[in-house]
Each structure stands twice: as C-alpha cells, then as structure tokens.
Amino acid sequence: MGLFDRFRRKPRPGVLRTASSQDTSHLEQWAASRQGVEAYVEPKTTVTETTVVLVAHDGEWTRRRVASPDAARTFARKLGMPIYDAGIVGYPKRMRDYTARKKAAGES
C-alpha cells in the first residue's frame, strides 16, 4: 500500500461494485414502462456481481446488478414477472434479434 493510497477517491481496481438502490429503481421503472417483461438471472463472475437482464416483448433489454439470485427472484415475484436462470435456459431469440437490429441501424 502506497503512502497516499488511502486518500484515493476512485475504487481500487479489482474491487467489485455491488448492487445499489439506483439499480433496483432503474429495473422497476424500465419494467413498468414496457410490456411482456421477463427476467433472466446471470451468475456472479470474477468481473461482475450477480446481474439480472430484463427483456421486453419486442426484445429490448436492460441489465443491472442485484444483490443475489434470491434478490432477483424476490424482485421478479414482486413485479409478477417470470424469471429464468440465463445459465440454464439461455437468452430469448428476440433479445438477440433486437441487438442485431440496433447494430445494423448503427445504434449501440
């Protein structure tokens, strides 16, 4: 540890950012403004904490961190949406199609 390391304002490299209330708020607002939303839980990796991907009926999607797989299931039950384990069932084709359409249109 260097002499001035404790005064750094940026998080240290290799420290994972955890889920925040802003993440949950974003997911709630996003789901409320779209139809046919389903949730897909992604497991924790060495790079990111557990995340949940919400996919709307047209394939539009968003991803945010959640505290745990159980927190993701609780979130989905609260909003009355189906939830799947992305590592087992994969992602829906409509999500991949949506991303391909956006990429072809020059959007990111």
Side-chain angles (χ1 to χ4, degrees), residues 101-108:
R101 284 191 310 270
K102 289 294 186 183
K103 187 174 183 177
E107 300 176 27
S108 48

Side-chain angles (χ1 to χ4, degrees), residues 6-7 22 24 29 35 40 54 56 61 76 83-84 102 108:
R6 74 177 83 169
F7 299 113
Q22 291 173 332
T24 305
Q29 291 172 8
Q35 296 178 343
Y40 293 82
L54 299 185
W61 59 275
I83 186 164
Y84 307 99
K102 289 294 186 183
S108 48

Side-chain angles (χ1 to χ4, degrees), residues 32-101:
S33 64
R34 283 147 183 95
Q35 296 178 343
V37 178
E38 298 174 333
Y40 293 82
V41 178
E42 299 173 316
K44 178 180 176 179
T45 68
T46 56
V47 180
T48 61
E49 290 291 330
T50 303
T51 54
V52 66
V53 176
L54 299 185
V55 182
H57 77 286
D58 63 351
E60 184 180 4
W61 59 275
T62 188
R63 173 184 287 121
R64 291 292 185 274
R65 289 173 178 87
V66 291
S68 68
D70 287 336
R73 285 187 274 282
T74 300
F75 171 81
R77 272 195 302 271
K78 176 182 160 189
L79 297 181
M81 70 177 65
I83 186 164
Y84 307 99
D85 186 332
I88 295 173
V89 302
Y91 299 101
K93 184 175 184 326
R94 68 182 185 276
M95 179 182 167
R96 292 187 301 274
D97 292 345
Y98 178 85
T99 302
R101 284 191 310 270

Side-chain angles (χ1 to χ4, degrees), residues 9-32:
R9 292 178 192 239
K10 295 180 185 177
R12 293 188 340 238
V15 176
L16 296 176
R17 185 178 76 81
T18 58
S20 69
S21 61
Q22 291 173 332
D23 293 325
T24 305
S25 177
H26 168 80
L27 292 170
E28 288 173 349
Q29 291 172 8
W30 195 91

